[in-house]
Amino acid sequence: ATNAFKQNLLTMGEAPWDANLFECLADVKICLVSWCCGVCQLAHQKAVVEGHECGIGDLIITWLCSFCCAVKIRGAIRDKYGIGGSLVTDCLTVWLCGICALSQQHRQLILKGDKPAGCFMD
């Protein structure tokens, strides 16, 4: 039944996240960097989604408007990979589980072959 459910989601254009939201500690390094330097992590994710190298402009924007940028970047990642969700779920996820959301997004990008370097990342 689970495979049929996933197939239905895929045909509707709403795939699930490959990285689980509450598996923050699946990669301790990503979790710690997200917690210690979330703005940097977000800036790198923004650059990857927009298809350019991360620069000081990305860092300044994410620092000044962290919540709005986090919601926008989460939505952009969902759109890029056809992941289900909405603006409301993005807002709630970022507001209530910000570190977990950052970690999930980073792991999702890695799993899809987009390497968001980030601070202290290889």
Side-chain angles (χ1 to χ4, degrees):
T2 305
N3 288 336
F5 177 72
K6 284 183 179 180
Q7 186 58 39
N8 285 338
L9 286 176
L10 292 174
T11 57
M12 295 184 328
E14 293 191 357
W17 287 86
D18 294 316
N20 190 305
L21 179 64
F22 298 111
E23 289 178 351
C24 304
L25 296 174
D27 187 321
V28 176
K29 186 176 184 180
I30 291 172
C31 184
L32 287 174
V33 172
S34 296
W35 182 66
C36 294
C37 195
V39 172
C40 297
Q41 223 29 350
L42 199 55
H44 283 281
Q45 291 176 13
K46 177 182 181 298
V48 167
V49 170
E50 293 175 354
H52 61 83
E53 290 291 318
C54 186
I56 190 72
D58 296 307
L59 187 60
I60 290 170
I61 293 292
T62 56
W63 182 67
L64 291 174
C65 305
S66 296
F67 180 78
C68 294
C69 283
V71 171
K72 181 178 184 233
I73 292 163
R74 187 168 181 83
I77 292 170
R78 281 190 313 95
D79 291 345
K80 182 174 183 173
Y81 300 117
I83 298 170
S86 68
L87 178 61
V88 173
T89 60
D90 292 341
C91 286
L92 289 172
T93 303
V94 168
W95 183 257
L96 299 172
C97 306
I99 304 302
C100 291
L102 269 178
S103 296
Q104 179 190 38
Q105 291 162 203
H106 191 91
R107 286 181 286 115
Q108 180 74 25
L109 291 170
I110 290 171
L111 289 169
K112 293 297 186 181
D114 290 327
K115 304 275 185 182
C119 300
F120 311 108
M121 298 292 170
D122 299 328

